[in-house]
């Protein structure tokens, strides 16, 4: 006798079409808002969970992952570590992931184990990560970089061991894969005498070669399929070294005046913009925090002493004019004399300043942002566009889903993990009720 199939559900656990193996099709991007007709509390969501579209690319929320060096690459090539590291974040609801600082030339890495994109053989392992993130509905980009005078140094845990054993310097020598004799910078000035390499002053030809290397890496990004590119101009690395008169003593076209010092960064951004039609970001240090050591950013004669918020604002206008879509605002890293007032959200005021003075460009804020309400307030009260997290991602990879629960909205968890988030994915009449119910649990 035939079985009664009248009440059986004819539904299949669909897989992602075009992926090289079976992988579950997520119903919508992980971490994005569930429909407000089913979840009324999402009708007026917190800004942290409002989607953001840049050049046709939609980011499901505004909690983004900052680039974080892993010191785990194999001659610049990504490994299984990176696949798991990035893939884990993609499954936890982050609205966007930025792959760590990636050297556009071998000598542009911070350490011998840093990521690179100077040769075609580095494309495939990065594409593997990108394909997976896209398959689970996420967005992912890369930060292109050159470490300048802070190159050829040790991974942090190796540095710790070296210092514990009485070594003063943190230079990676030739014996351990370093290149201390070919570290390049705008001028022959060490970041820290006796500890960091003494760089050679880069020739004009070398500077132009590096600018082209950024463009060549951007071309490889097209083949990989990244959703955006971020240019690293912060934290005392090469472009930042050019910007600051403290580290740039050149007399050629890339030194001296503000216009000359920022040329390498602005022209590189313009050149990438010509060949890259997706979102383009730029990370910069808004201040070197040298007030206590060197006085005001500009002296009584109108000469710039060091890099601060005034020059940063001028640079941001130039970056906007050449087509940069978003400025990722950090600070510090150029000079060990910096005196940073570290506290929760200590860099937000720089981002707010740029947002107010350079209209029309998107602004991201970073720096000791660790609580959902804090992150949402930064966006809402300061009128900023995204917040970026680094160490908090490593401490609490599920932060976006916990934030949604705390702020009272319902977002999409990965379907494989949704049974862990039933308290968050509950219909409420409004955000206030949802937050109240959360507080009672």
């Amino acid at each position: 006798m035939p079985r009664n199939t009248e009440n059986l559900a004819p539904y299949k656990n669909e897989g992602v079409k075009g992926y090289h193996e079976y992988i579950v099709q997520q119903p919508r991007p992980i971490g994005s808002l569930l429909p407000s007709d089913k979840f009324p509390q999402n009708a007026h969501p917190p800004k942290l969970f409002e989607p953001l579209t840049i050049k046709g690319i939609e980011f499901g929320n505004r909690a983004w992952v900052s680039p974080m060096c892993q010191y785990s690459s194999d001659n610049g090539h990504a490994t299984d570590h990176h696949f798991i590291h990035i893939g884990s974040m993609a499954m936890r609801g982050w609205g966007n992931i930025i792959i760590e600082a990636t050297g556009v030339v071998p000598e542009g890495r911070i350490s011998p184990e840093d990521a690179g994109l100077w040769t075609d053989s580095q494309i495939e392992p990065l594409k593997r990560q990108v394909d997976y993130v896209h398959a689970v509905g996420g967005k992912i980009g890369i930060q292109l970089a050159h470490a300048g005078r802070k190159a050829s140094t040790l991974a942090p845990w190796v540095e710790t061991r070296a210092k514990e054993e009485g070594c003063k310097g943190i230079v990676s020598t030739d014996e351990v894969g370093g290149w201390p004799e070919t570290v390049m910078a705008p001028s022959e000035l060490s970041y820290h005498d006796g500890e960091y390499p003494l760089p050679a002053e880069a020739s004009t030809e070398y500077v132009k070669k590096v600018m082209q290397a950024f463009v060549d890496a951007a071309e490889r990004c097209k083949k990989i399929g990244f959703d955006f590119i971020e240019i690293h101009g912060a934290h005392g690395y090469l472009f930042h070294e050019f910007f600051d008169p403290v580290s740039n003593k050149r007399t050629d076209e890339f030194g001296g005046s503000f216009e000359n010092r920022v040329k390498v960064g602005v022209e590189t951004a313009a050149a990438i913009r010509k060949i890259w039609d997706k979102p383009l970001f730029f990370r910069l240090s808004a201040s070197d925090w040298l007030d206590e050591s060197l006085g005001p950013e500009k002296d009584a004669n109108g000469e710039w002493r060091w890099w601060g918020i005034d020059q940063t604002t001028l640079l941001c206008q130039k970056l906007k004019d050449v087509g940069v879509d978003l400025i990722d605002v950090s600070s510090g890293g150029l000079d060990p004399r910096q005196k940073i007032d570290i506290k929760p959200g200590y860099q937000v005021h720089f981002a707010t300043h740029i947002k107010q003075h350079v209209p029309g460009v998107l602004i991201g804020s970073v720096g000791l942002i660790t609580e959902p309400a804090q992150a949402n307030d930064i966006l809402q009260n300061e009128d900023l566009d995204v917040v970026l997290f680094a160490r908090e991602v490593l401490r609490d990879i599920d932060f976006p889903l916990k934030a949604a629960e705390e702020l009272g909205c319902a977002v999409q968890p990965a379907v494989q993990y949704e049974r862990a988030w039933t308290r968050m994915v509950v219909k409420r009449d409004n955000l206030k009720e949802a937050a109240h119910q959360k507080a009672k649990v």
Side-chain angles (χ1 to χ4, degrees):
M1 246 180 114
R3 293 176 181 234
N4 184 353
T5 60
E6 184 178 335
N7 294 319
L8 298 183
Y11 299 118
K12 180 183 178 182
N13 189 7
E14 297 288 351
V16 175
K17 291 181 173 59
Y19 198 68
H20 69 274
E21 62 188 21
Y22 177 76
I23 184 170
V24 173
Q25 176 71 58
Q26 302 292 332
R28 57 182 49 79
I30 302 165
S32 65
L33 288 167
L34 290 163
S36 59
D37 59 343
K38 292 185 178 180
F39 297 88
Q41 68 264 39
N42 287 352
H44 303 286
K47 191 172 179 181
L48 187 63
F49 288 97
E50 290 179 0
L52 176 66
T53 300
I54 309 174
K55 280 193 162 47
I57 304 290
E58 182 174 297
F59 301 90
N61 63 47
R62 298 169 188 243
W64 291 9
V65 178
S66 284
M68 288 179 280
C69 290
Q70 294 295 291
Y71 309 95
S72 299
S73 297
D74 184 358
N75 192 27
H77 295 72
T79 67
D80 284 353
H81 167 78
H82 301 94
F83 184 75
I84 294 168
H85 172 65
I86 296 297
S88 297
M89 293 186 290
M91 288 287 283
R92 265 41 179 230
W94 295 95
N96 184 22
I97 301 168
I98 310 178
I99 284 180
E100 67 189 86
T102 301
V104 298
V105 291
E107 69 276 12
R109 292 169 292 167
I110 302 167
S111 82
E113 297 79 36
D114 273 15
L117 192 50
W118 64 79
T119 182
D120 287 352
S121 63
Q122 291 159 340
I123 291 174
E124 191 53 41
L126 288 170
K127 191 174 187 305
R128 182 183 180 217
Q129 297 175 55
V130 170
D131 288 349
Y132 179 81
V133 172
H134 286 163
V136 300
K139 296 294 184 289
I140 183 170
I142 190 169
Q143 184 185 71
L144 300 180
H146 188 302
R149 66 182 185 174
K150 295 173 86 171
S152 193
T153 52
L154 300 171
W157 53 89
V158 182
E159 174 188 339
T160 299
R161 175 186 168 191
K163 288 185 174 180
E164 287 174 349
E165 295 181 3
C167 299
K168 183 181 179 184
I170 63 168
V171 179
S172 283
T173 63
D174 294 323
E175 289 78 12
V176 295
W179 52 96
E181 301 304 317
T182 54
V183 170
M184 296 291 177
S187 301
E188 194 177 314
L189 297 168
S190 175
Y191 171 74
H192 195 297
D193 287 335
E195 289 198 19
Y196 279 74
L198 177 64
E201 180 173 311
S203 66
T204 303
E205 292 72 26
Y206 179 80
V207 176
K208 292 180 177 178
K209 171 193 162 187
V210 167
M211 292 167 70
Q212 182 59 47
F214 272 85
V215 176
D216 293 342
E219 290 284 5
R220 294 187 180 97
C221 289
K222 292 181 184 178
K223 297 177 182 177
I224 295 166
F226 283 114
D227 295 304
F228 65 91
I229 290 170
E230 176 170 276
I231 300 169
H232 200 348
H235 302 159
Y237 299 127
L238 186 69
F239 285 2
H240 187 186
E241 293 163 18
F242 271 98
F243 298 159
D244 198 317
V246 169
S247 49
N248 183 350
K249 304 300 182 183
R250 301 173 74 94
T251 57
D252 66 356
E253 62 180 296
F254 298 112
S257 69
F258 167 82
E259 299 288 338
N260 283 1
R261 286 184 280 110
V262 301
K263 184 182 288 188
V264 64
V266 174
E267 290 192 355
T268 299
I272 291 177
R273 177 81 285 168
K274 285 180 182 177
I275 60 102
W276 180 259
D277 59 5
K278 294 180 181 179
L280 179 60
F281 305 162
F282 199 104
R283 171 166 269 202
L284 48 72
S285 283
S287 173
D288 289 329
W289 301 87
L290 292 174
D291 315 58
E292 291 187 28
S293 300
L294 301 179
E297 182 183 351
K298 183 180 278 189
D299 67 20
N301 298 318
E303 297 294 324
W304 299 109
R305 283 182 167 140
W306 49 276
W307 186 259
I309 190 62
D310 291 339
Q311 290 169 93
T312 295
T313 305
L314 296 173
L315 171 59
C316 287
Q317 183 61 57
K318 287 181 175 292
L319 293 172
K320 178 202 163 190
D321 290 345
V322 299
V324 169
D325 300 296
L326 182 143
I327 307 293
D328 180 359
V329 183
S330 189
S331 69
L334 182 111
D335 192 297
R337 294 173 293 179
Q338 64 188 18
K339 302 292 183 184
I340 303 178
D341 182 19
I342 296 180
K343 56 189 176 183
Y346 69 99
Q347 297 175 123
V348 173
H349 66 290
F350 294 131
T352 301
H353 179 95
I354 297 167
K355 186 69 175 179
Q356 292 171 348
H357 289 82
V358 188
V361 67
L362 298 168
I363 301 294
S365 187
V366 305
L368 271 180
I369 302 171
T370 60
E371 300 294 334
Q374 175 200 17
N376 193 62
D377 287 347
I378 287 168
L379 296 176
Q380 221 148 271
N381 300 341
E382 304 297 327
D383 193 31
L384 299 177
D385 300 291
V386 298
V387 285
L388 296 104
F389 302 78
R391 296 177 194 183
E392 190 62 22
V393 181
L394 305 182
R395 287 189 289 262
D396 189 357
I397 198 168
D398 290 309
F399 180 94
L401 303 181
K402 291 181 178 179
E405 186 179 3
E406 182 172 318
L407 296 173
C409 58
V411 302
Q412 178 69 56
V415 290
Q416 298 96 323
Y417 304 158
E418 66 180 9
R419 283 178 290 184
W421 295 102
T422 53
R423 290 181 303 178
M424 182 263 291
V425 186
V426 175
K427 298 175 184 179
R428 310 288 189 195
D429 287 340
N430 53 53
L431 282 173
K432 190 175 290 187
E433 181 196 341
H436 176 68
Q437 291 296 330
K438 164 66 173 65
K440 287 170 60 178
V441 174

